[in-house]
Amino acid sequence: MNELSNALQSRQKTQKEIIKREHLDFTQEAFNENDQSTNEFLKIKAYELVTISSKATLALGRIFTEVFEELGNNRVGTYEKFIKELGYNVRTVQRYRARYELYNKVNNEDSKSLIAILPVKYLEKIMSDEEHYLPFLQVGITKDELVEKIEQNKQLPLVEDKQEEIVISSNLVKDLLLDLSMKAEEKEKELTNKEKLKLKKLLEEIEIILSK
């Protein structure tokens, strides 16, 4: 084992390993077209960059979650104003929070590593059916196995007659309403009278449902 590998192992011993190196894909040409020492150097730097990026993403998720919990019931819209003033997109913030919350729910270290680097398209699939995927994540699952389960679940046929309680996360409802509120504010001047009337009717339907 060369000196660079030893340096990486030494660093990993002194700090918690958030990302498992085996979860990264180093099969691309950029990591294999030079001599062994250079290839290994690039893999180490890639690992360091992914680790920094993942830590930052989780930190953002933690901060936005704390702000949401503090201001989530604020009736003057401070939460969405806070996000907007900092230049963040509401959907992006939702993803930061979703990743952070899922990361904290899972105890298995290998699964936590996967969650930290998981592409957004897979993260959203997991969050849309968390009860299905959480048990697999808790006991530990490989990246390939997780992706395979997501792809298989996406292809399952809908069972129309199945009587099953539908659970809607309160945070999801709040996030969607905040997102819609900001979009309505941005697009109000662009909407036609017909579109405004349709929007008004839909909002009235939502109000009726939530007032039951």
Side-chain angles (χ1 to χ4, degrees), residues 89-104:
N89 179 276
V90 174
R91 287 230 180 255
T92 301
V93 170
Q94 288 173 1
R95 295 185 188 112
Y96 285 146
R97 288 179 49 211
R99 191 183 298 274
Y100 170 74
E101 290 169 7
L102 182 62
Y103 183 87
N104 281 338

Side-chain angles (χ1 to χ4, degrees), residues 65-198:
T65 296
E66 291 171 352
V67 173
F68 179 81
E69 290 173 351
E70 180 69 23
L71 299 175
N73 294 321
N74 185 285
R75 295 187 179 276
V76 294
T78 305
Y79 177 70
E80 60 262 40
K81 292 174 184 174
F82 174 81
I83 292 172
K84 192 173 181 179
E85 288 299 327
L86 290 173
Y88 285 94
N89 179 276
V90 174
R91 287 230 180 255
T92 301
V93 170
Q94 288 173 1
R95 295 185 188 112
Y96 285 146
R97 288 179 49 211
R99 191 183 298 274
Y100 170 74
E101 290 169 7
L102 182 62
Y103 183 87
N104 281 338
K105 285 180 183 178
V106 173
N107 297 318
N108 184 280
E109 293 299 327
D110 286 335
S111 294
K112 289 173 87 73
S113 169
L114 283 177
I115 293 166
I117 63 172
L118 204 61
V120 169
K121 65 177 181 178
Y122 293 133
L123 176 68
E124 291 183 334
K125 292 293 182 183
I126 292 174
M127 297 309 299
S128 68
D129 193 5
E130 188 178 318
E131 290 186 2
H132 174 74
Y133 295 106
L134 196 55
F136 299 113
L137 292 167
Q138 291 290 24
V139 298
I141 187 171
T142 68
K143 182 179 180 181
D144 290 340
E145 289 172 342
L146 180 58
V147 171
E148 183 179 356
K149 285 187 179 298
I150 292 173
E151 295 296 334
Q152 287 177 346
N153 197 42
K154 188 169 62 176
Q155 297 170 8
L156 291 177
L158 294 175
V159 182
E160 295 181 2
D161 295 329
K162 188 176 180 181
Q163 298 298 317
E164 189 174 287
E165 181 183 3
I166 299 175
V167 179
I168 301 177
S169 165
S170 59
N171 282 347
L172 175 62
V173 173
K174 289 179 181 178
D175 282 344
L176 287 175
L177 290 176
L178 288 170
D179 191 15
L180 290 173
S181 173
M182 292 185 70
K183 284 182 178 177
E185 183 181 342
E186 293 173 359
K187 299 289 185 179
E188 183 179 2
K189 294 181 180 179
E190 301 175 18
L191 297 176
T192 64
N193 287 335
K194 186 177 179 180
E195 289 171 333
K196 288 179 181 179
L197 181 60
K198 185 176 181 180

